PDB file of all heavy atoms in Angstrom:
ATOM      1  N   GLY A   1       5.820  -7.882 -35.172  1.00 65.00           N
ATOM      2  CA  GLY A   1       5.652  -7.206 -36.446  1.00 65.00           C
ATOM      3  C   GLY A   1       4.192  -7.137 -36.861  1.00 65.00           C
ATOM      4  O   GLY A   1       3.375  -7.963 -36.451  1.00 65.00           O
ATOM      5  N   GLU A   2       3.856  -6.126 -37.683  1.00 60.00           N
ATOM      6  CA  GLU A   2       2.485  -5.988 -38.153  1.00 60.00           C
ATOM      7  C   GLU A   2       2.035  -7.217 -38.941  1.00 60.00           C
ATOM      8  O   GLU A   2       0.870  -7.615 -38.885  1.00 60.00           O
ATOM      9  CB  GLU A   2       2.349  -4.735 -39.023  1.00 60.00           C
ATOM     10  CG  GLU A   2       2.510  -3.431 -38.239  1.00 60.00           C
ATOM     11  CD  GLU A   2       2.276  -2.203 -39.090  1.00 60.00           C
ATOM     12  OE1 GLU A   2       1.504  -2.296 -40.065  1.00 60.00           O
ATOM     13  OE2 GLU A   2       2.862  -1.151 -38.793  1.00 60.00           O
ATOM     14  N   ALA A   3       2.969  -7.829 -39.665  1.00 68.00           N
ATOM     15  CA  ALA A   3       2.625  -9.001 -40.476  1.00 68.00           C
ATOM     16  C   ALA A   3       2.107 -10.144 -39.601  1.00 68.00           C
ATOM     17  O   ALA A   3       1.218 -10.898 -40.012  1.00 68.00           O
ATOM     18  CB  ALA A   3       3.837  -9.465 -41.276  1.00 68.00           C
ATOM     19  N   ALA A   4       2.629 -10.264 -38.386  1.00 64.00           N
ATOM     20  CA  ALA A   4       2.194 -11.340 -37.486  1.00 64.00           C
ATOM     21  C   ALA A   4       0.719 -11.170 -37.125  1.00 64.00           C
ATOM     22  O   ALA A   4      -0.039 -12.146 -37.091  1.00 64.00           O
ATOM     23  CB  ALA A   4       3.050 -11.349 -36.227  1.00 64.00           C
ATOM     24  N   PHE A   5       0.300  -9.934 -36.872  1.00 62.00           N
ATOM     25  CA  PHE A   5      -1.100  -9.677 -36.535  1.00 62.00           C
ATOM     26  C   PHE A   5      -2.006  -9.923 -37.732  1.00 62.00           C
ATOM     27  O   PHE A   5      -3.097 -10.484 -37.601  1.00 62.00           O
ATOM     28  CB  PHE A   5      -1.270  -8.236 -36.037  1.00 62.00           C
ATOM     29  CG  PHE A   5      -0.717  -8.005 -34.663  1.00 62.00           C
ATOM     30  CD1 PHE A   5       0.591  -7.549 -34.495  1.00 62.00           C
ATOM     31  CD2 PHE A   5      -1.486  -8.237 -33.541  1.00 62.00           C
ATOM     32  CE1 PHE A   5       1.110  -7.336 -33.230  1.00 62.00           C
ATOM     33  CE2 PHE A   5      -0.974  -8.031 -32.265  1.00 62.00           C
ATOM     34  CZ  PHE A   5       0.333  -7.581 -32.112  1.00 62.00           C
ATOM     35  N   THR A   6      -1.546  -9.501 -38.908  1.00 66.00           N
ATOM     36  CA  THR A   6      -2.338  -9.702 -40.121  1.00 66.00           C
ATOM     37  C   THR A   6      -2.515 -11.181 -40.418  1.00 66.00           C
ATOM     38  O   THR A   6      -3.617 -11.642 -40.736  1.00 66.00           O
ATOM     39  CB  THR A   6      -1.667  -9.006 -41.325  1.00 66.00           C
ATOM     40  OG1 THR A   6      -1.532  -7.600 -41.041  1.00 66.00           O
ATOM     41  CG2 THR A   6      -2.490  -9.196 -42.590  1.00 66.00           C
ATOM     42  N   GLU A   7      -1.438 -11.949 -40.306  1.00 69.00           N
ATOM     43  CA  GLU A   7      -1.502 -13.384 -40.573  1.00 69.00           C
ATOM     44  C   GLU A   7      -2.356 -14.114 -39.542  1.00 69.00           C
ATOM     45  O   GLU A   7      -3.030 -15.098 -39.860  1.00 69.00           O
ATOM     46  CB  GLU A   7      -0.090 -13.964 -40.596  1.00 69.00           C
ATOM     47  CG  GLU A   7       0.743 -13.495 -41.787  1.00 69.00           C
ATOM     48  CD  GLU A   7       2.209 -13.856 -41.657  1.00 69.00           C
ATOM     49  OE1 GLU A   7       2.550 -14.588 -40.703  1.00 69.00           O
ATOM     50  OE2 GLU A   7       3.004 -13.399 -42.495  1.00 69.00           O
ATOM     51  N   ALA A   8      -2.336 -13.619 -38.293  1.00 65.00           N
ATOM     52  CA  ALA A   8      -3.113 -14.274 -37.234  1.00 65.00           C
ATOM     53  C   ALA A   8      -4.603 -14.230 -37.525  1.00 65.00           C
ATOM     54  O   ALA A   8      -5.357 -15.114 -37.110  1.00 65.00           O
ATOM     55  CB  ALA A   8      -2.828 -13.621 -35.890  1.00 65.00           C
ATOM     56  N   GLU A   9      -5.043 -13.218 -38.263  1.00 66.00           N
ATOM     57  CA  GLU A   9      -6.470 -13.085 -38.541  1.00 66.00           C
ATOM     58  C   GLU A   9      -6.948 -14.042 -39.622  1.00 66.00           C
ATOM     59  O   GLU A   9      -8.148 -14.140 -39.881  1.00 66.00           O
ATOM     60  CB  GLU A   9      -6.795 -11.642 -38.922  1.00 66.00           C
ATOM     61  CG  GLU A   9      -6.631 -10.698 -37.753  1.00 66.00           C
ATOM     62  CD  GLU A   9      -7.222  -9.331 -38.013  1.00 66.00           C
ATOM     63  OE1 GLU A   9      -7.911  -9.160 -39.035  1.00 66.00           O
ATOM     64  OE2 GLU A   9      -6.983  -8.433 -37.206  1.00 66.00           O
ATOM     65  N   THR A  10      -6.024 -14.739 -40.257  1.00 63.00           N
ATOM     66  CA  THR A  10      -6.418 -15.736 -41.249  1.00 63.00           C
ATOM     67  C   THR A  10      -6.236 -17.150 -40.700  1.00 63.00           C
ATOM     68  O   THR A  10      -6.338 -18.118 -41.426  1.00 63.00           O
ATOM     69  CB  THR A  10      -5.588 -15.587 -42.551  1.00 63.00           C
ATOM     70  OG1 THR A  10      -4.197 -15.809 -42.262  1.00 63.00           O
ATOM     71  CG2 THR A  10      -5.776 -14.204 -43.139  1.00 63.00           C
ATOM     72  N   SER A  11      -5.949 -17.234 -39.404  1.00 59.00           N
ATOM     73  CA  SER A  11      -5.791 -18.538 -38.772  1.00 59.00           C
ATOM     74  C   SER A  11      -6.244 -18.441 -37.326  1.00 59.00           C
ATOM     75  O   SER A  11      -6.605 -17.380 -36.842  1.00 59.00           O
ATOM     76  CB  SER A  11      -4.323 -18.979 -38.834  1.00 59.00           C
ATOM     77  OG  SER A  11      -3.488 -18.046 -38.170  1.00 59.00           O
ATOM     78  N   HIS A  12      -6.234 -19.557 -36.633  1.00 54.00           N
ATOM     79  CA  HIS A  12      -6.604 -19.568 -35.228  1.00 54.00           C
ATOM     80  C   HIS A  12      -5.933 -20.754 -34.557  1.00 54.00           C
ATOM     81  O   HIS A  12      -5.410 -21.653 -35.207  1.00 54.00           O
ATOM     82  CB  HIS A  12      -8.124 -19.661 -35.060  1.00 54.00           C
ATOM     83  CG  HIS A  12      -8.705 -20.953 -35.536  1.00 54.00           C
ATOM     84  ND1 HIS A  12      -8.789 -21.277 -36.864  1.00 54.00           N
ATOM     85  CD2 HIS A  12      -9.207 -22.012 -34.852  1.00 54.00           C
ATOM     86  CE1 HIS A  12      -9.327 -22.467 -36.994  1.00 54.00           C
ATOM     87  NE2 HIS A  12      -9.582 -22.949 -35.793  1.00 54.00           N
ATOM     88  N   THR A  13      -5.949 -20.756 -33.261  1.00 48.00           N
ATOM     89  CA  THR A  13      -5.352 -21.855 -32.510  1.00 48.00           C
ATOM     90  C   THR A  13      -6.197 -23.118 -32.668  1.00 48.00           C
ATOM     91  O   THR A  13      -7.410 -23.061 -32.714  1.00 48.00           O
ATOM     92  CB  THR A  13      -5.279 -21.481 -31.015  1.00 48.00           C
ATOM     93  OG1 THR A  13      -4.521 -20.290 -30.884  1.00 48.00           O
ATOM     94  CG2 THR A  13      -4.604 -22.582 -30.225  1.00 48.00           C
ATOM     95  N   ASN A  14      -5.529 -24.255 -32.750  1.00 48.00           N
ATOM     96  CA  ASN A  14      -6.242 -25.535 -32.789  1.00 48.00           C
ATOM     97  C   ASN A  14      -5.541 -26.527 -31.873  1.00 48.00           C
ATOM     98  O   ASN A  14      -4.550 -26.196 -31.222  1.00 48.00           O
ATOM     99  CB  ASN A  14      -6.343 -26.077 -34.224  1.00 48.00           C
ATOM    100  CG  ASN A  14      -4.978 -26.156 -34.895  1.00 48.00           C
ATOM    101  OD1 ASN A  14      -3.985 -26.474 -34.255  1.00 48.00           O
ATOM    102  ND2 ASN A  14      -4.938 -25.864 -36.189  1.00 48.00           N
ATOM    103  N   ALA A  15      -6.057 -27.722 -31.811  1.00 41.00           N
ATOM    104  CA  ALA A  15      -5.495 -28.714 -30.887  1.00 41.00           C
ATOM    105  C   ALA A  15      -4.037 -29.006 -31.203  1.00 41.00           C
ATOM    106  O   ALA A  15      -3.215 -29.203 -30.296  1.00 41.00           O
ATOM    107  CB  ALA A  15      -6.321 -30.000 -30.953  1.00 41.00           C
ATOM    108  N   PHE A  16      -3.684 -29.040 -32.504  1.00 38.00           N
ATOM    109  CA  PHE A  16      -2.304 -29.343 -32.882  1.00 38.00           C
ATOM    110  C   PHE A  16      -1.349 -28.251 -32.395  1.00 38.00           C
ATOM    111  O   PHE A  16      -0.310 -28.549 -31.801  1.00 38.00           O
ATOM    112  CB  PHE A  16      -2.194 -29.482 -34.398  1.00 38.00           C
ATOM    113  CG  PHE A  16      -0.776 -29.684 -34.882  1.00 38.00           C
ATOM    114  CD1 PHE A  16      -0.147 -30.909 -34.731  1.00 38.00           C
ATOM    115  CD2 PHE A  16      -0.073 -28.638 -35.461  1.00 38.00           C
ATOM    116  CE1 PHE A  16       1.151 -31.092 -35.160  1.00 38.00           C
ATOM    117  CE2 PHE A  16       1.226 -28.812 -35.890  1.00 38.00           C
ATOM    118  CZ  PHE A  16       1.856 -30.048 -35.753  1.00 38.00           C
ATOM    119  N   SER A  17      -1.708 -26.986 -32.614  1.00 46.00           N
ATOM    120  CA  SER A  17      -0.814 -25.908 -32.207  1.00 46.00           C
ATOM    121  C   SER A  17      -0.686 -25.845 -30.694  1.00 46.00           C
ATOM    122  O   SER A  17       0.368 -25.485 -30.160  1.00 46.00           O
ATOM    123  CB  SER A  17      -1.302 -24.564 -32.752  1.00 46.00           C
ATOM    124  OG  SER A  17      -2.566 -24.224 -32.256  1.00 46.00           O
ATOM    125  N   MET A  18      -1.760 -26.193 -29.970  1.00 39.00           N
ATOM    126  CA  MET A  18      -1.679 -26.232 -28.512  1.00 39.00           C
ATOM    127  C   MET A  18      -0.712 -27.316 -28.060  1.00 39.00           C
ATOM    128  O   MET A  18       0.074 -27.132 -27.125  1.00 39.00           O
ATOM    129  CB  MET A  18      -3.063 -26.458 -27.913  1.00 39.00           C
ATOM    130  CG  MET A  18      -3.994 -25.265 -28.064  1.00 39.00           C
ATOM    131  SD  MET A  18      -5.663 -25.601 -27.460  1.00 39.00           S
ATOM    132  CE  MET A  18      -5.348 -25.761 -25.709  1.00 39.00           C
ATOM    133  N   ALA A  19      -0.740 -28.471 -28.731  1.00 41.00           N
ATOM    134  CA  ALA A  19       0.162 -29.565 -28.379  1.00 41.00           C
ATOM    135  C   ALA A  19       1.608 -29.176 -28.637  1.00 41.00           C
ATOM    136  O   ALA A  19       2.495 -29.443 -27.822  1.00 41.00           O
ATOM    137  CB  ALA A  19      -0.200 -30.810 -29.180  1.00 41.00           C
ATOM    138  N   VAL A  20       1.855 -28.533 -29.770  1.00 40.00           N
ATOM    139  CA  VAL A  20       3.205 -28.071 -30.096  1.00 40.00           C
ATOM    140  C   VAL A  20       3.691 -27.075 -29.057  1.00 40.00           C
ATOM    141  O   VAL A  20       4.836 -27.105 -28.619  1.00 40.00           O
ATOM    142  CB  VAL A  20       3.236 -27.444 -31.502  1.00 40.00           C
ATOM    143  CG1 VAL A  20       4.577 -26.746 -31.753  1.00 40.00           C
ATOM    144  CG2 VAL A  20       2.988 -28.504 -32.556  1.00 40.00           C
ATOM    145  N   SER A  21       2.804 -26.178 -28.623  1.00 42.00           N
ATOM    146  CA  SER A  21       3.172 -25.179 -27.622  1.00 42.00           C
ATOM    147  C   SER A  21       3.544 -25.835 -26.299  1.00 42.00           C
ATOM    148  O   SER A  21       4.476 -25.412 -25.619  1.00 42.00           O
ATOM    149  CB  SER A  21       2.012 -24.199 -27.406  1.00 42.00           C
ATOM    150  OG  SER A  21       1.779 -23.448 -28.565  1.00 42.00           O
ATOM    151  N   ARG A  22       2.830 -26.889 -25.941  1.00 40.00           N
ATOM    152  CA  ARG A  22       3.146 -27.589 -24.695  1.00 40.00           C
ATOM    153  C   ARG A  22       4.521 -28.253 -24.784  1.00 40.00           C
ATOM    154  O   ARG A  22       5.319 -28.204 -23.843  1.00 40.00           O
ATOM    155  CB  ARG A  22       2.071 -28.635 -24.403  1.00 40.00           C
ATOM    156  CG  ARG A  22       0.746 -28.053 -23.948  1.00 40.00           C
ATOM    157  CD  ARG A  22      -0.174 -29.131 -23.393  1.00 40.00           C
ATOM    158  NE  ARG A  22      -1.425 -28.552 -22.939  1.00 40.00           N
ATOM    159  CZ  ARG A  22      -2.521 -28.492 -23.676  1.00 40.00           C
ATOM    160  NH1 ARG A  22      -2.504 -28.968 -24.898  1.00 40.00           N
ATOM    161  NH2 ARG A  22      -3.618 -27.964 -23.195  1.00 40.00           N
ATOM    162  N   LEU A  23       4.810 -28.863 -25.923  1.00 41.00           N
ATOM    163  CA  LEU A  23       6.105 -29.512 -26.114  1.00 41.00           C
ATOM    164  C   LEU A  23       7.229 -28.489 -26.088  1.00 41.00           C
ATOM    165  O   LEU A  23       8.281 -28.704 -25.503  1.00 41.00           O
ATOM    166  CB  LEU A  23       6.119 -30.281 -27.444  1.00 41.00           C
ATOM    167  CG  LEU A  23       5.224 -31.527 -27.503  1.00 41.00           C
ATOM    168  CD1 LEU A  23       5.207 -32.087 -28.922  1.00 41.00           C
ATOM    169  CD2 LEU A  23       5.718 -32.577 -26.515  1.00 41.00           C
ATOM    170  N   ALA A  24       6.996 -27.345 -26.724  1.00 45.00           N
ATOM    171  CA  ALA A  24       8.020 -26.301 -26.771  1.00 45.00           C
ATOM    172  C   ALA A  24       8.301 -25.756 -25.377  1.00 45.00           C
ATOM    173  O   ALA A  24       9.399 -25.305 -25.070  1.00 45.00           O
ATOM    174  CB  ALA A  24       7.576 -25.167 -27.697  1.00 45.00           C
ATOM    175  N   GLY A  25       7.296 -25.848 -24.524  1.00 48.00           N
ATOM    176  CA  GLY A  25       7.465 -25.330 -23.170  1.00 48.00           C
ATOM    177  C   GLY A  25       7.925 -26.391 -22.193  1.00 48.00           C
ATOM    178  O   GLY A  25       7.833 -26.199 -20.986  1.00 48.00           O
ATOM    179  N   GLY A  26       8.381 -27.538 -22.709  1.00 46.00           N
ATOM    180  CA  GLY A  26       8.878 -28.591 -21.831  1.00 46.00           C
ATOM    181  C   GLY A  26       7.786 -29.265 -21.048  1.00 46.00           C
ATOM    182  O   GLY A  26       7.987 -29.755 -19.941  1.00 46.00           O
ATOM    183  N   GLY A  27       6.567 -29.303 -21.626  1.00 48.00           N
ATOM    184  CA  GLY A  27       5.457 -29.968 -20.954  1.00 48.00           C
ATOM    185  C   GLY A  27       4.501 -28.986 -20.316  1.00 48.00           C
ATOM    186  O   GLY A  27       3.341 -29.292 -20.109  1.00 48.00           O
ATOM    187  N   ALA A  28       4.987 -27.767 -19.974  1.00 48.00           N
ATOM    188  CA  ALA A  28       4.123 -26.746 -19.409  1.00 48.00           C
ATOM    189  C   ALA A  28       3.406 -26.010 -20.541  1.00 48.00           C
ATOM    190  O   ALA A  28       3.970 -25.817 -21.612  1.00 48.00           O
ATOM    191  CB  ALA A  28       4.947 -25.758 -18.580  1.00 48.00           C
ATOM    192  N   TYR A  29       2.165 -25.617 -20.284  1.00 49.00           N
ATOM    193  CA  TYR A  29       1.403 -24.940 -21.334  1.00 49.00           C
ATOM    194  C   TYR A  29       1.968 -23.556 -21.615  1.00 49.00           C
ATOM    195  O   TYR A  29       2.229 -22.782 -20.712  1.00 49.00           O
ATOM    196  CB  TYR A  29      -0.064 -24.815 -20.937  1.00 49.00           C
ATOM    197  CG  TYR A  29      -0.873 -24.059 -21.957  1.00 49.00           C
ATOM    198  CD1 TYR A  29      -1.179 -24.637 -23.183  1.00 49.00           C
ATOM    199  CD2 TYR A  29      -1.293 -22.758 -21.701  1.00 49.00           C
ATOM    200  CE1 TYR A  29      -1.906 -23.947 -24.141  1.00 49.00           C
ATOM    201  CE2 TYR A  29      -2.019 -22.057 -22.653  1.00 49.00           C
ATOM    202  CZ  TYR A  29      -2.323 -22.664 -23.864  1.00 49.00           C
ATOM    203  OH  TYR A  29      -3.035 -21.956 -24.802  1.00 49.00           O
ATOM    204  N   LYS A  30       2.160 -23.297 -22.878  1.00 62.00           N
ATOM    205  CA  LYS A  30       2.592 -21.975 -23.330  1.00 62.00           C
ATOM    206  C   LYS A  30       1.562 -21.480 -24.326  1.00 62.00           C
ATOM    207  O   LYS A  30       1.242 -22.178 -25.287  1.00 62.00           O
ATOM    208  CB  LYS A  30       3.963 -22.062 -23.993  1.00 62.00           C
ATOM    209  CG  LYS A  30       4.479 -20.717 -24.510  1.00 62.00           C
ATOM    210  CD  LYS A  30       5.830 -20.902 -25.176  1.00 62.00           C
ATOM    211  CE  LYS A  30       6.338 -19.579 -25.733  1.00 62.00           C
ATOM    212  NZ  LYS A  30       7.635 -19.758 -26.437  1.00 62.00           N
ATOM    213  N   MET A  31       1.007 -20.275 -24.087  1.00 71.00           N
ATOM    214  CA  MET A  31      -0.044 -19.761 -24.953  1.00 71.00           C
ATOM    215  C   MET A  31       0.451 -19.638 -26.391  1.00 71.00           C
ATOM    216  O   MET A  31       1.485 -19.029 -26.642  1.00 71.00           O
ATOM    217  CB  MET A  31      -0.522 -18.388 -24.458  1.00 71.00           C
ATOM    218  CG  MET A  31      -1.678 -17.824 -25.288  1.00 71.00           C
ATOM    219  SD  MET A  31      -2.202 -16.173 -24.730  1.00 71.00           S
ATOM    220  CE  MET A  31      -3.002 -16.604 -23.169  1.00 71.00           C
ATOM    221  N   PRO A  32      -0.261 -20.217 -27.364  1.00 76.00           N
ATOM    222  CA  PRO A  32       0.139 -20.103 -28.768  1.00 76.00           C
ATOM    223  C   PRO A  32       0.233 -18.638 -29.199  1.00 76.00           C
ATOM    224  O   PRO A  32      -0.479 -17.776 -28.672  1.00 76.00           O
ATOM    225  CB  PRO A  32      -0.988 -20.828 -29.510  1.00 76.00           C
ATOM    226  CG  PRO A  32      -1.561 -21.759 -28.494  1.00 76.00           C
ATOM    227  CD  PRO A  32      -1.455 -21.050 -27.193  1.00 76.00           C
ATOM    228  N   LEU A  33       1.095 -18.380 -30.174  1.00 74.00           N
ATOM    229  CA  LEU A  33       1.329 -17.001 -30.614  1.00 74.00           C
ATOM    230  C   LEU A  33       0.041 -16.317 -31.055  1.00 74.00           C
ATOM    231  O   LEU A  33      -0.193 -15.151 -30.704  1.00 74.00           O
ATOM    232  CB  LEU A  33       2.346 -16.982 -31.752  1.00 74.00           C
ATOM    233  CG  LEU A  33       2.645 -15.589 -32.351  1.00 74.00           C
ATOM    234  CD1 LEU A  33       3.185 -14.652 -31.284  1.00 74.00           C
ATOM    235  CD2 LEU A  33       3.600 -15.705 -33.524  1.00 74.00           C
ATOM    236  N   ASN A  34      -0.800 -17.001 -31.815  1.00 78.00           N
ATOM    237  CA  ASN A  34      -2.034 -16.373 -32.286  1.00 78.00           C
ATOM    238  C   ASN A  34      -2.903 -15.907 -31.122  1.00 78.00           C
ATOM    239  O   ASN A  34      -3.526 -14.844 -31.175  1.00 78.00           O
ATOM    240  CB  ASN A  34      -2.830 -17.346 -33.158  1.00 78.00           C
ATOM    241  CG  ASN A  34      -2.246 -17.477 -34.553  1.00 78.00           C
ATOM    242  OD1 ASN A  34      -1.277 -16.807 -34.889  1.00 78.00           O
ATOM    243  ND2 ASN A  34      -2.828 -18.335 -35.355  1.00 78.00           N
ATOM    244  N   ASP A  35      -2.954 -16.716 -30.065  1.00 84.00           N
ATOM    245  CA  ASP A  35      -3.731 -16.327 -28.894  1.00 84.00           C
ATOM    246  C   ASP A  35      -3.088 -15.136 -28.179  1.00 84.00           C
ATOM    247  O   ASP A  35      -3.784 -14.249 -27.673  1.00 84.00           O
ATOM    248  CB  ASP A  35      -3.846 -17.504 -27.924  1.00 84.00           C
ATOM    249  CG  ASP A  35      -4.739 -18.611 -28.468  1.00 84.00           C
ATOM    250  OD1 ASP A  35      -5.285 -18.437 -29.574  1.00 84.00           O
ATOM    251  OD2 ASP A  35      -4.872 -19.642 -27.788  1.00 84.00           O
ATOM    252  N   GLN A  36      -1.776 -15.114 -28.131  1.00 82.00           N
ATOM    253  CA  GLN A  36      -1.074 -13.966 -27.546  1.00 82.00           C
ATOM    254  C   GLN A  36      -1.410 -12.683 -28.308  1.00 82.00           C
ATOM    255  O   GLN A  36      -1.678 -11.639 -27.712  1.00 82.00           O
ATOM    256  CB  GLN A  36       0.433 -14.197 -27.577  1.00 82.00           C
ATOM    257  CG  GLN A  36       0.931 -15.325 -26.696  1.00 82.00           C
ATOM    258  CD  GLN A  36       2.431 -15.508 -26.814  1.00 82.00           C
ATOM    259  OE1 GLN A  36       3.188 -14.541 -26.816  1.00 82.00           O
ATOM    260  NE2 GLN A  36       2.865 -16.751 -26.943  1.00 82.00           N
ATOM    261  N   LEU A  37      -1.391 -12.786 -29.640  1.00 82.00           N
ATOM    262  CA  LEU A  37      -1.670 -11.619 -30.470  1.00 82.00           C
ATOM    263  C   LEU A  37      -3.113 -11.162 -30.291  1.00 82.00           C
ATOM    264  O   LEU A  37      -3.393  -9.958 -30.270  1.00 82.00           O
ATOM    265  CB  LEU A  37      -1.388 -11.934 -31.941  1.00 82.00           C
ATOM    266  CG  LEU A  37       0.065 -12.290 -32.268  1.00 82.00           C
ATOM    267  CD1 LEU A  37       0.205 -12.638 -33.752  1.00 82.00           C
ATOM    268  CD2 LEU A  37       1.013 -11.150 -31.910  1.00 82.00           C
ATOM    269  N   PHE A  38      -4.036 -12.113 -30.156  1.00 86.00           N
ATOM    270  CA  PHE A  38      -5.432 -11.744 -29.917  1.00 86.00           C
ATOM    271  C   PHE A  38      -5.568 -10.991 -28.602  1.00 86.00           C
ATOM    272  O   PHE A  38      -6.278  -9.980 -28.521  1.00 86.00           O
ATOM    273  CB  PHE A  38      -6.330 -12.982 -29.900  1.00 86.00           C
ATOM    274  CG  PHE A  38      -7.769 -12.660 -29.573  1.00 86.00           C
ATOM    275  CD1 PHE A  38      -8.612 -12.150 -30.548  1.00 86.00           C
ATOM    276  CD2 PHE A  38      -8.264 -12.850 -28.289  1.00 86.00           C
ATOM    277  CE1 PHE A  38      -9.934 -11.830 -30.251  1.00 86.00           C
ATOM    278  CE2 PHE A  38      -9.579 -12.528 -27.981  1.00 86.00           C
ATOM    279  CZ  PHE A  38     -10.419 -12.021 -28.961  1.00 86.00           C
ATOM    280  N   MET A  39      -4.895 -11.464 -27.569  1.00 87.00           N
ATOM    281  CA  MET A  39      -4.992 -10.811 -26.266  1.00 87.00           C
ATOM    282  C   MET A  39      -4.367  -9.416 -26.286  1.00 87.00           C
ATOM    283  O   MET A  39      -4.845  -8.498 -25.604  1.00 87.00           O
ATOM    284  CB  MET A  39      -4.323 -11.683 -25.193  1.00 87.00           C
ATOM    285  CG  MET A  39      -5.037 -12.998 -24.937  1.00 87.00           C
ATOM    286  SD  MET A  39      -6.822 -12.802 -24.594  1.00 87.00           S
ATOM    287  CE  MET A  39      -6.765 -11.799 -23.092  1.00 87.00           C
ATOM    288  N   ILE A  40      -3.316  -9.248 -27.076  1.00 86.00           N
ATOM    289  CA  ILE A  40      -2.700  -7.916 -27.211  1.00 86.00           C
ATOM    290  C   ILE A  40      -3.695  -6.948 -27.849  1.00 86.00           C
ATOM    291  O   ILE A  40      -3.873  -5.820 -27.390  1.00 86.00           O
ATOM    292  CB  ILE A  40      -1.407  -8.003 -28.047  1.00 86.00           C
ATOM    293  CG1 ILE A  40      -0.318  -8.735 -27.257  1.00 86.00           C
ATOM    294  CG2 ILE A  40      -0.917  -6.604 -28.446  1.00 86.00           C
ATOM    295  CD1 ILE A  40       0.895  -9.126 -28.093  1.00 86.00           C
TER     296      ILE A  40
END
């Protein structure tokens, strides 16, 4: 959604979100949503 891109510009990935992403991926690194949106 457009709102996701707009909200991403007021935040950025940090160590905490990277850790959460790793846990969500079962230990494997999963790119945080904000980083995915930046790459798009």
